[in-house]
Amino acid sequence: MITESAVEPQRLVRGRLVLLAGGTSAAGRACARALVAAGGRVVIVGSDAGRLRDAADSAPGTAIEECDLTEPAAVSALRDRVHSAHGNVDGVVHLVGGWRGGGGLAGQSDEDFAALLRSFTALRNVSRSFDDDLRASDAGRLAIVSSTAVARPLAGGANYAAVKAASEAWTRAVAQGYAKSARDAGRDLSAAGVIFRVRSLDGLEEALASAVVALWDDDAADVNDVVIEIGASA
């Protein structure tokens, strides 16, 4: 019998179904490749059919789903399709992002804020729709990519920092829900909500991918409601 300790590092994700929300970016493609290489099953979700096809080509073995993650009904339909085709989800990695800023406080327009807010809206929709899956999994993981701007917001990026701070607060609330549910049921914690922070993802896509794969190498209690900085020493 092979014990868990005998499994080689970064292979405990093997067989897990991971949904990459907004996964057509360079970071999403890196995560998809790393997860597949580690034996995970991956569904890349995006809103652009062409970018989805390109993402699938760059990470053979992945499945793709087109969905507007800002629409609750569309996300519910996505959940149903994923369940039908692949089963329940063990992980959700939220990669919907974008940047708009500059111009000091006066330059923080409502239009820019609305565009950035789509990321937070998508996070709320996806985390709620797949909440039962992650709670039921024996190793459920929700992870978001946030920014060091949350810890040191600047006037020229106030809109951006505010949305990222809201996303972190939501993820921490999800993490608290996981902990409370396990405690109330008298069982060990199996799901975790994790925040990755970066100053910029440019050049750190592979580092993020490695960190995502490694989420399944740690006990949920060790990573739940934890902020992990990537590239902090650079």
Side-chain angles (χ1 to χ4, degrees):
M1 178 178 177
I2 299 176
T3 63
E4 187 171 270
S5 62
V7 178
E8 66 176 322
Q10 296 196 350
R11 289 299 182 270
L12 299 183
V13 73
R14 188 179 303 280
R16 303 289 181 187
L17 179 61
V18 183
L19 186 142
L20 301 179
T24 61
S25 64
R29 297 178 190 195
C31 288
R33 289 191 295 268
L35 286 164
V36 169
R41 299 181 295 138
V42 177
V43 179
I44 302 173
V45 182
S47 58
D48 184 282
R51 286 174 60 83
L52 278 170
R53 288 191 297 269
D54 290 344
D57 288 343
S58 74
T62 58
I64 57 174
E65 284 285 349
E66 186 175 349
C67 181
D68 181 352
L69 297 175
T70 66
E71 293 292 336
V75 178
S76 294
L78 167 70
R79 177 195 59 213
D80 293 343
R81 294 196 304 272
V82 170
H83 284 173
S84 178
H86 309 287
N88 285 7
V89 164
D90 297 292
V92 173
V93 181
H94 181 71
L95 299 165
V96 181
W99 158 259
R100 292 194 183 191
L105 200 63
Q108 304 305 291
S109 71
D110 289 347
E111 292 78 12
D112 285 349
F113 182 73
L116 292 167
L117 192 60
R118 291 176 62 84
S119 172
F120 181 47
T121 301
L123 171 63
R124 292 175 60 247
N125 289 339
V126 173
S127 60
R128 286 183 299 185
S129 285
F130 289 95
D131 187 54
D132 287 345
D133 284 24
L134 299 182
R135 287 172 182 267
S137 172
D138 61 359
R141 299 291 185 268
L142 170 68
I144 70 167
V145 178
S146 186
S147 170
T148 54
V150 172
R152 189 174 184 274
L154 304 178
N159 278 337
Y160 178 77
V163 169
K164 288 296 188 182
S167 297
E168 288 199 9
W170 182 272
T171 304
R172 296 193 66 193
V174 172
Q176 188 276 334
Y178 292 157
K180 183 178 186 302
S181 178
R183 186 169 59 249
D184 290 348
R187 58 176 176 79
D188 291 338
L189 181 65
S190 61
V194 183
I195 297 164
F196 293 117
R197 278 188 190 166
V198 298
R199 183 176 183 274
S200 170
L201 264 178
D202 289 344
L204 293 177
E205 294 88 354
E206 299 299 333
L208 172 66
S210 295
V212 166
V213 171
L215 287 176
W216 281 268
D217 293 331
D218 294 312
D219 290 337
D222 293 332
V223 292
N224 192 43
D225 197 11
V226 167
V227 175
I228 300 171
E229 292 203 10
I230 297 176
S233 62

